[in-house]
Amino acid sequence: MFMNENFLLKNETAIELYECIRDLPIIDYHCHLDPAAIAKNARFQNITELWLGGDHYKWRLMRINGVPESHITGGAPDHEKFTAFCATIENAIGNPVYHWAHLELKKYFGFDGVITSENAAEIYALCNHQIEADDFNVHNLLKKSRVEWLATTDDPADSLEYHLQIKNANTPGVPKVLPTFRPGYVFEIDKPDYVVYISRLGKAAGIDITDWDSLLAALSQRMDFFAEAGCVISDHSLEPPVYDPDARVIDAEYAMGKWGYGDSLSAKEINAFKTQLLLWLGREYHKRGWVMQLHMAAQRENVWGGDAKVNAGFDCMSDVNYSLALAHFLRDLELDSFPRTILYGLNPTSDDMLAVMAGTFAGGGIRGRVQWGCPWWFNDNKTGIQKHLTTLANHGLISTFIGMLTDSRSFMSYPRHEYFRRILANQLGEWVENGEFPGDINRLHKIAADISYLNVKEYFFPERNMC
């Protein structure tokens, strides 16, 4: 039967394991949800705004299907955009969005049917009728999803006003919303608008940034501010990874000084600045007990014409080799200044390398200290998740894995955790059914629950009990 209660569960052990983990809370440690929408307990005009707004997975499929941009990010009527998506998804056999879309409508609207262009109007009316109810809002969507806490993605210059509102309100049943320190723009010393950004950062920190030392002082102040708002996570997008193991602090100081005088910088000077800034931040994260996330191999800004509003969904994988640069960076941090670190690679050709790299830099008596992060972006499909689990098991301890995240801008994306847990249960069950692991159900329950929920609690809050 189509997507029934045993969807993706192909053996009895898998069915039993999934029952053990299906209702565990969700910790979404990396997403792009809007904290303002959570603070204001936002409502939605209709299912198009809620379901399709900002979801580049769905947008990408629509473009592939020949849907004009007017019906994706443009000004077409919302019911027409919704119908265009239904006409796209009805033939998306084998694509994870097909499964996610049906799981989403079932979980949040009780729709058990099949999405087609023929019944698009019926689904549109069904969903909008429920959206009009007084209790249909962001808080209840998060409660229904069983989200315990989530981490957004935030620039060091951000005010975090909405994070602080949510924290101070402490509304029962509403998840904790933690900011993530993502200093991507701080590295862009070679960009023409860097002076504008540095001015904004300096104002946020209350420090006039004129040189290397004042830049670090401003970043330190902002990290203190983020910590007060609950931050325990940083995030870097390394694309391409530029790391010069021979760079010295004095080289970064010189580069910042030249920039301050308005002089152009050489490629070597830019790399020295980025290298030393990355090292300094990594050591700061360790001192603060923060986790460092490194996202690699994304190739961005591929859209033609420079139209920013249609940029989402135009990114792709990079084939840049970054293993040596990554290894040099992790090595140079040294064991006594090494933060817990998550490595994400967008190109699956690097899967084995990253799984092995995570084990190479394990140590310090910390369980799962370096994680090969969950299948990311183009890889969070069924085969990508299966490959990730088996590759991780081949090269390390899958039992220490911290599980899934959404990386999403949509409040309806949480069934992706269900999707992951079903595939996880099936993979564990398959190993048992094949005689590759004993059918010790208590041990299997613990492994499944650890990966789905418990490991991530311990990883981000090893000495805290905030959850």
Side-chain angles (χ1 to χ4, degrees):
M1 185 182 295
F2 172 66
M3 293 185 67
N4 64 7
E5 66 273 11
N6 292 333
F7 173 57
L8 299 178
L9 306 173
K10 305 303 181 184
N11 56 73
E12 292 302 317
T13 304
I15 293 170
E16 181 170 352
L17 287 178
Y18 181 64
E19 285 301 311
C20 161
I21 61 178
R22 66 180 301 165
D23 293 326
L24 288 174
I26 286 173
I27 293 175
D28 193 16
Y29 53 94
H30 178 71
C31 74
H32 299 275
L33 293 179
D34 181 6
I38 303 174
K40 297 175 181 179
N41 194 17
R43 293 174 56 84
F44 303 91
Q45 295 182 33
N46 54 48
I47 184 61
T48 302
E49 178 189 9
L50 171 60
W51 203 34
L52 303 182
D55 193 333
H56 59 81
Y57 287 88
K58 295 184 174 79
W59 293 354
R60 191 179 183 93
L61 282 188
M62 293 169 76
R63 293 190 186 107
I64 293 170
N65 199 42
V67 176
E69 201 63 39
S70 61
H71 286 65
I72 303 173
T73 63
D78 284 347
H79 72 278
E80 292 185 12
K81 291 181 178 180
F82 184 84
T83 301
F85 175 69
C86 291
T88 295
I89 206 67
E90 65 183 357
N91 293 317
I93 184 171
N95 191 285
V97 179
Y98 187 85
H99 296 145
W100 298 346
H102 285 86
L103 290 172
E104 289 160 2
L105 290 187
K106 182 174 183 178
K107 182 173 187 64
Y108 300 109
F109 296 98
F111 177 74
D112 278 321
V114 178
I115 302 168
T116 66
S117 54
E118 288 81 10
N119 64 6
E122 173 191 341
I123 300 171
Y124 193 74
L126 169 73
C127 295
N128 287 342
H129 176 71
Q130 296 183 45
I131 287 172
E132 291 171 0
D134 292 340
D135 62 349
F136 198 101
N137 51 48
V138 162
H139 288 180
N140 282 329
L141 283 172
L142 292 171
K143 290 175 187 176
K144 193 166 189 176
S145 301
R146 301 186 308 280
V147 181
E148 189 169 284
W149 64 264
L150 61 88
T152 58
T153 308
D154 311 280
D155 186 90
D158 287 350
S159 69
L160 302 186
E161 58 182 301
Y162 296 113
H163 294 84
L164 295 171
Q165 284 183 28
I166 298 164
K167 181 181 179 182
N168 294 334
N170 195 26
T171 305
V174 175
K176 296 181 184 298
V177 180
L178 312 183
T180 294
F181 189 81
R182 181 166 178 158
Y185 291 124
V186 183
F187 287 81
E188 305 298 333
I189 193 170
D190 51 331
K191 295 294 178 65
D193 59 351
Y194 192 62
V195 64
V196 176
Y197 176 75
I198 287 299
S199 175
R200 178 173 168 241
L201 177 64
K203 288 178 181 178
I207 294 173
D208 185 18
I209 301 175
T210 58
D211 56 17
W212 176 253
D213 289 338
S214 56
L215 174 63
L216 301 190
L219 289 171
S220 182
Q221 191 279 340
R222 296 310 292 168
M223 281 188 274
D224 290 343
F225 177 70
F226 269 61
E228 291 172 4
C231 180
V232 293
I233 313 170
S234 68
D235 183 36
H236 292 261
S237 181
L238 304 181
E239 46 192 65
V242 177
Y243 187 83
D244 181 358
D246 297 323
R248 303 164 299 168
V249 173
I250 193 171
D251 298 324
E253 294 173 340
Y254 179 72
M256 191 69 185
K258 282 188 68 176
W259 172 84
Y261 283 109
D263 296 338
S264 60
L265 301 179
S266 69
K268 186 171 182 61
E269 290 164 342
I270 292 168
N271 290 354
F273 172 82
K274 293 182 177 182
T275 294
Q276 285 300 319
L277 182 58
L278 189 60
L279 278 171
W280 181 82
L281 285 166
R283 292 164 181 152
E284 284 295 309
Y285 301 150
H286 172 75
K287 287 194 296 186
R288 297 166 186 273
W290 288 11
V291 171
M292 177 172 65
Q293 297 179 106
L294 300 175
H295 287 85
M296 293 159 286
Q299 184 171 300
R300 304 179 189 273
E301 300 178 0
N302 298 313
V303 62
W304 55 85
D307 190 349
K309 76 174 184 178
V310 298
N311 199 16
F314 284 98
D315 301 336
C316 65
M317 299 176 187
S318 166
D319 61 0
V320 172
N321 186 315
Y322 56 88
S323 63
L324 189 59
L326 175 61
H328 282 162
F329 168 51
L330 298 179
R331 176 202 65 190
D332 290 349
L333 281 172
E334 301 179 346
L335 187 61
D336 61 355
S337 61
F338 196 104
R340 283 161 289 142
T341 299
I342 308 174
L343 309 175
Y344 305 92
L346 192 55
N347 193 324
T349 59
S350 299
D351 282 1
D352 287 271
M353 180 274 287
L354 288 172
V356 172
M357 185 81 74
T360 298
F361 289 94
I366 300 173
R367 183 174 180 267
R369 182 175 194 165
V370 182
Q371 294 276 330
W372 174 33
C374 73
W376 171 42
W377 202 344
F378 298 116
N379 303 309
D380 55 2
N381 47 63
K382 186 179 74 170
T383 52
I385 294 170
Q386 290 170 334
K387 183 175 182 287
H388 185 277
L389 293 173
T390 55
T391 303
L392 183 58
N394 284 338
H395 297 301
L397 287 175
I398 193 175
S399 56
T400 66
F401 179 38
I402 58 173
M404 197 60 182
L405 49 79
T406 66
D407 191 28
S408 176
R409 292 167 175 79
S410 171
F411 287 98
M412 284 182 62
S413 290
Y414 286 102
R416 295 181 195 179
H417 282 261
E418 175 186 342
Y419 193 65
F420 169 80
R421 290 176 182 182
R422 286 178 178 273
I423 296 170
L424 170 66
N426 192 69
Q427 183 60 68
L428 296 176
E430 183 177 300
W431 281 325
V432 172
E433 299 290 332
N434 289 344
E436 300 175 49
F437 194 84
D440 181 344
I441 202 64
N442 290 330
R443 186 175 301 278
L444 289 164
H445 280 179
K446 184 177 188 309
I447 291 172
D450 281 352
I451 295 170
S452 299
Y453 172 61
L454 296 171
N455 285 345
V456 71
K457 286 169 64 82
E458 176 64 22
Y459 190 74
F460 286 97
F461 295 94
E463 298 176 355
R464 307 169 179 87
N465 187 25
M466 61 81 71
C467 294

